[in-house]
Amino acid sequence: MKCLFCCEFYYPSVGGVQMVMQQIAERLVEKGHEVTVATTKLAEREERSINGVEIVEFNVTGNLAKGLDGEVQEYQSFLKNFDADVLLIKAAQQWTFDAACGVLDEIRMKTVFIPCGFSGLRRGLYQKYYEEMPNILKKIDHLIFYSSDYQDIDFARKEGLENYSVVPNGASESEFGRYPADNDIREKLDISPEAFVFLTVGARNGQKGHAEVAEAFSRMQNTTEAQITLILNGNIVTKKKNERKKGLMRKLRRSVKILLNLLLPNKIVLRNQEDRIFVSKIRCKLRRKFQLIETDLKRRDLVKLLFTSNLFVFASKTEYSPLVLFESAAAGTPILTVPVGNAEEILSWTKGGYLCPCEKDEVGNTNVDSAILAEHMTYALSHQHEMCQMGVMGREAWAKEFTWETITERYEAILQATLNSEAA
């Protein structure tokens, strides 16, 4: 089977879409299939063939709602003429799908599409985009959803579409198959072997809940004699240089606001994520046996940290089907998460954690109350045996149903069935 995968970004770019497409592509190659990936051109990509997967690059940016720029016609011509059996495109609202929409009738390959959540469904900018979406979806041969109960699959059902499958995300057996033999990450980070470690992971862009988790941690009750540690892992997304420049008065106002927040907690509202984390860090230093660490670990060390952490805390504002929850389950680390994306469904599948309730805004973003999150984190600290049992169940569920090898077999069957339907 010859496959063409299309996604906005691909390795060495880092992210959920990139991870999923790479895992499936490389495993299909191992099974004897041919896979080519069409994606955005990256300066740091030095090779056009990675682990047997061929890569074709295009200089294209944007989407239909915001406008497409670059080599759009070249990409469309490529789609119409590429010699493959089946086309797999991941995610709406990005150029590899949006540019393909205009030439779907001219593509000779069978088409499979992963909507990936329809994140802009309730946003005014995308109103016209989603008014046209039913007509586009009806031209697709097969749809793949990550959740059986989310807005993208509900959208398809409302339109009467039945040509779809639900295939969850997963975690790599090569990374999580066994406990790391040299798990020295606590020593590297200067964390006590006896400490109870809370961990959260995600880009430091204000959307992954780092500030909320840090604030909750700094306010929680330590019900043990041991040290408790929170690790905020993720790269800091910096602003443009001119946006980072601050005048003397602005710096002074910021310092005063931070000081007042320390003196009058819950009275002064800090909106900047880094300021909120900074305040939480000071609070932790003033309290006995509280340790807050900010870091951005390489993948190998992050996997080690997942294995040695006691609770994974997830307070992200917007997600679809977060890979980190599957990876936490794979590591046997219990999960405390807000109901973001299909997180609640993932917990029902894996039995690997519990939910912290929170409100959602008009576009579906979660906004957790740090005081409530602190109560749930304190519960985990006080019920460590129960947490360990959740971790065991999560790992068992992952090994049975959510390894990338198992997930790839399901993709392979769907792609093959879609291809075979041509002769029917």
Side-chain angles (χ1 to χ4, degrees):
M1 183 168 53
K2 294 182 178 179
C3 305
L4 174 63
F5 284 15
C6 296
C7 49
E8 185 176 19
F9 295 107
Y10 189 78
Y11 183 86
S13 176
V14 177
V17 169
Q18 300 91 307
M19 171 73 79
V20 173
M21 294 298 264
Q22 183 182 11
Q23 292 287 346
I24 298 167
E26 292 183 1
R27 281 170 167 75
L28 286 177
V29 168
E30 291 175 359
K31 291 174 176 291
H33 303 290
E34 296 180 24
V35 181
T36 299
V37 174
T39 188
T40 301
K41 185 175 183 179
L42 298 176
E44 62 268 30
R45 183 179 290 117
E46 298 178 353
E47 299 180 14
R48 301 297 179 272
S49 180
I50 301 175
N51 296 329
V53 178
E54 303 300 318
I55 299 173
V56 180
E57 298 180 314
F58 295 90
N59 275 316
V60 185
T61 59
N63 60 33
L64 283 175
K66 299 177 181 179
L68 291 165
D69 294 303
E71 299 172 338
V72 177
Q73 291 184 347
E74 289 85 347
Y75 171 67
Q76 291 175 329
S77 178
F78 171 79
L79 291 179
K80 291 187 288 185
N81 295 293
F82 189 75
D83 180 23
D85 301 310
V86 62
L87 167 66
L88 176 67
I89 308 181
K90 180 171 168 66
Q93 300 174 202
Q94 54 81 32
W95 72 262
T96 66
F97 175 70
D98 289 4
C101 290
V103 294
L104 282 175
D105 293 329
E106 303 173 70
I107 294 175
R108 294 173 293 176
M109 299 169 282
K110 303 295 284 188
T111 54
V112 179
F113 174 46
I114 309 170
C116 211
F118 287 164
S119 61
L121 184 60
R122 304 178 196 176
R123 299 179 186 273
L125 175 64
Y126 290 95
Q127 181 178 347
K128 185 176 180 180
Y129 182 90
Y130 281 103
E131 287 175 355
E132 296 293 329
M133 187 61 68
N135 294 327
I136 296 170
L137 295 184
K138 289 171 184 176
K139 296 179 181 181
I140 303 291
D141 294 301
H142 200 83
L143 303 169
I144 295 177
F145 299 99
Y146 293 153
S147 169
S148 61
D149 183 22
Y150 199 67
Q151 64 184 17
D152 55 352
I153 196 169
D154 290 342
F155 185 97
R157 288 170 176 153
K158 184 179 179 180
E159 296 301 325
L161 299 176
E162 298 180 351
N163 57 327
Y164 64 80
S165 301
V166 176
V167 183
N169 275 324
S172 173
E173 57 275 23
S174 62
E175 290 184 305
F176 295 95
R178 63 181 64 184
Y179 192 91
D182 59 340
N183 200 348
D184 54 354
I185 192 63
R186 285 199 177 210
E187 183 178 352
K188 285 183 179 180
L189 296 176
D190 193 26
I191 300 172
S192 166
E194 293 77 29
F196 190 99
V197 176
F198 298 90
L199 170 66
T200 194
V201 173
R204 295 277 291 278
N205 57 10
Q207 296 298 306
K208 298 298 183 178
H210 288 78
E212 288 76 9
V213 175
E215 186 173 343
F217 176 75
S218 69
R219 297 182 183 282
M220 67 179 288
Q221 298 298 313
N222 186 353
T223 57
T224 72
E225 289 299 316
Q227 179 189 74
I228 60 173
T229 299
L230 169 64
I231 302 174
L232 307 177
N233 187 86
N235 60 307
I236 297 178
V237 181
T238 57
K239 296 181 179 179
K240 294 179 181 179
K241 187 178 293 185
N242 63 337
E243 294 176 342
R244 291 198 301 266
K245 292 181 179 179
K246 298 179 179 179
L248 182 60
M249 289 304 297
R250 188 176 177 187
K251 287 182 179 179
L252 180 61
R253 285 195 299 269
R254 174 178 179 268
S255 299
V256 170
K257 202 170 186 179
I258 288 174
L259 179 60
L260 287 173
N261 191 277
L262 286 166
L263 297 173
L264 303 169
N266 298 324
K267 299 295 184 183
I268 307 299
V269 178
L270 293 175
R271 300 191 183 281
N272 182 281
Q273 174 185 241
E274 298 309 317
D275 289 351
R276 292 173 66 187
I277 293 174
F278 178 71
V279 168
S280 297
K281 208 166 188 177
I282 293 176
R283 287 200 189 107
C284 289
K285 287 182 178 180
L286 295 174
R287 301 184 67 186
R288 181 172 174 266
K289 295 186 180 299
F290 277 71
Q291 179 185 31
L292 196 160
I293 299 172
E294 298 176 87
T295 187
D296 182 17
L297 297 174
K298 293 181 178 179
R299 179 66 182 179
R300 176 180 170 82
D301 282 337
L302 178 57
V303 171
K304 290 181 180 180
L305 186 57
L306 279 165
F307 271 103
T308 194
S309 296
N310 299 97
L311 187 73
F312 185 84
V313 186
F314 199 54
S316 182
K317 299 179 186 299
T318 178
E319 297 284 340
Y320 176 34
S321 185
L323 291 175
V324 287
L325 299 187
F326 290 98
E327 292 176 346
S328 296
T333 302
I335 299 162
L336 168 61
T337 180
V338 297
V340 63
N342 77 324
E344 192 169 0
E345 187 175 34
I346 294 171
L347 293 185
S348 71
W349 288 339
T350 63
K351 313 300 181 189
Y354 64 114
L355 202 68
C356 176
C358 70
E359 299 295 326
K360 293 187 179 182
D361 63 21
E362 65 278 2
V363 295
N365 291 341
T366 59
N367 294 286
V368 70
D369 184 327
S370 293
I372 295 175
L373 184 59
E375 292 176 2
H376 284 72
M377 292 169 70
T378 301
Y379 179 89
L381 190 64
S382 305
H383 297 77
Q384 295 187 31
H385 178 68
E386 181 182 344
M387 296 300 108
C388 288
Q389 289 180 316
M390 288 181 182
V392 170
M393 288 189 290
R395 182 164 172 79
E396 289 176 348
W398 164 76
K400 184 178 179 181
E401 298 185 60
F402 303 106
T403 66
W404 280 122
E405 184 61 31
T406 298
I407 301 301
T408 299
E409 289 175 358
R410 297 181 64 177
Y411 273 89
E412 181 183 31
I414 290 169
L415 295 175
Q416 192 68 62
T418 303
L419 176 59
N420 292 342
S421 68
E422 183 176 21

